[in-house]
């Protein structure tokens, strides 16, 4: 009986050390990352300053479970791109904009083999807060689609945090300007079916989740 009691105590201890497995719709946590693009206008002029800010606590809201979790020193893999959508075949390379980023951020231009250029890196994490901000100054007229998404579901899905189920991976979604429409209707002004059809077929998955915002630039 003595050995049986020791065995039972050891089993309870062992089970408490094994992370819980559970069922979550889609198999991913989807953490909501707030961000703002200001001023929230539909039309800017050459030389105007557009500011992007994403600043949030490490206690984050998770959409699937409707819970708050503490995520310390997590890599979210943010990526920013700006697409000119009033023409077809334009390679996105930021040539139409001046980008100003503070040196405290690890956020830099990255060139793909296609010639497209995006901004990639990560948030600055300090005192339980994540932060990333930069300024965009348009240099030429046009119709543009700003996109700020998270690559955590592709590159950092197995990162750990307190309360995480062992069999569930991590994903994230950017909630830009508190979920307003962000001029999504301007996608209809593009001659490219990728924008005026494909994205609009599933706007939550292909526009809002990735911090989409459309705007015109005029002289």
């Amino acid at each position: 009986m003595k050995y049986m009691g020791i065995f039972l105590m050891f089993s309870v201890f062992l089970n408490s050390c094994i992370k819980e497995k559970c069922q979550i719709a889609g198999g991913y946590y989807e953490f909501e990352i707030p961000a703002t693009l200001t001023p929230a206008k539909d039309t800017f002029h050459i030389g105007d300053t557009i500011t992007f800010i994403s600043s949030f606590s490490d206690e984050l809201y998770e959409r699937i479970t409707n819970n708050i979790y503490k995520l310390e020193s997590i890599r979210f893999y943010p990526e920013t791109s700006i697409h000119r959508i009033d023409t077809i075949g334009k390679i996105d390379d930021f040539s139409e904009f001046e980008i100003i980023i503070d040196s405290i951020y690890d956020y830099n231009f990255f060139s793909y083999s296609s010639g497209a250029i995006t901004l990639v890196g990560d948030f600055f994490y300090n005192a339980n807060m994540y932060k990333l901000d930069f300024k965009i100054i348009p240099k030429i007229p046009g119709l543009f689609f700003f996109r700020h998404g998270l690559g955590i579901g592709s590159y950092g899905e197995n990162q750990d945090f307190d309360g995480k189920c062992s069999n569930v991976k991590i994903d994230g979604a950017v909630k830009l300007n508190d979920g307003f429409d962000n001029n999504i209707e301007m996608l209809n002004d593009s001659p490219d079916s990728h924008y005026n059809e494909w994205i609009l077929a599933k706007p939550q998955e292909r526009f809002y989740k990735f911090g989409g915002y459309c705007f015109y630039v005029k002289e």
Side-chain angles (χ1 to χ4, degrees):
M1 291 297 293
K2 176 181 178 181
Y3 293 108
M4 181 62 71
I6 294 174
F7 174 76
L8 290 173
M9 290 177 62
F10 178 75
S11 296
V12 171
F13 172 77
L14 183 63
N15 288 333
S16 68
C17 293
I18 298 174
K19 295 195 70 176
E20 177 189 3
K21 289 188 176 183
C22 52
Q23 296 296 319
I24 291 180
Y28 277 83
Y29 294 101
E30 187 174 82
F31 287 97
E32 187 174 278
I33 307 301
T36 59
L37 189 146
T38 56
K41 296 162 57 175
D42 57 11
T43 303
F44 296 94
H45 292 87
I46 294 172
D48 285 350
T49 298
I50 306 167
T51 301
F52 174 86
I53 300 175
S54 186
S55 180
F56 52 94
S57 163
D58 60 9
E59 294 187 349
L60 278 170
Y61 171 68
E62 198 285 311
R63 292 177 171 180
I64 309 300
T65 62
N66 197 33
N67 287 325
I68 303 291
Y69 295 91
K70 188 172 182 65
L71 274 62
E72 300 179 272
S73 299
I74 292 289
R75 294 203 64 186
F76 290 95
Y77 299 92
E79 180 173 8
T80 305
S81 57
I82 304 179
H83 311 268
R84 181 166 192 154
I85 64 172
D86 55 2
T87 186
I88 296 177
K90 172 67 173 69
I91 295 176
D92 308 308
D93 58 5
F94 283 95
S95 60
E96 299 94 343
F97 297 87
E98 178 185 357
I99 308 298
I100 302 173
I101 307 173
D102 194 290
S103 60
I104 67 167
Y105 298 116
D106 176 19
Y107 210 55
N108 303 288
F109 291 111
F110 176 82
S111 299
Y112 287 93
S113 58
S114 65
I117 297 175
T118 65
L119 284 165
V120 299
D122 221 329
F123 294 92
F124 179 70
Y125 180 62
N126 183 52
N128 305 115
M129 293 290 297
Y130 292 93
K131 187 176 183 182
L132 175 64
D133 68 84
F134 51 84
K135 299 184 185 303
I136 305 165
I137 302 174
K139 297 191 292 185
I140 65 171
L143 173 61
F144 298 94
F145 170 35
F146 171 91
R147 188 176 183 271
H148 179 83
L150 304 172
I152 188 172
S154 300
Y155 309 115
E157 60 186 10
N158 292 314
Q159 296 178 88
D160 203 8
F161 58 88
D162 189 33
K164 179 181 181 293
C165 295
S166 62
N167 60 321
V168 180
K169 297 180 179 180
I170 308 174
D171 199 2
V174 175
K175 187 176 184 180
L176 184 67
N177 291 346
D178 203 29
F180 286 103
D181 71 352
N182 295 322
N183 305 321
I184 189 174
E185 70 280 357
M186 290 184 181
L187 293 176
N188 287 307
D189 297 342
S190 173
D192 192 331
S193 61
H194 176 79
Y195 301 107
N196 65 39
E197 292 181 11
W198 186 79
I199 292 178
L200 289 174
K202 295 183 178 180
Q204 288 298 330
E205 297 176 22
R206 299 170 181 172
F207 184 85
Y208 293 109
K209 180 178 179 179
F210 294 95
Y213 192 98
C214 294
F215 60 93
Y216 276 97
V217 174
K218 296 185 176 180
E219 293 184 354

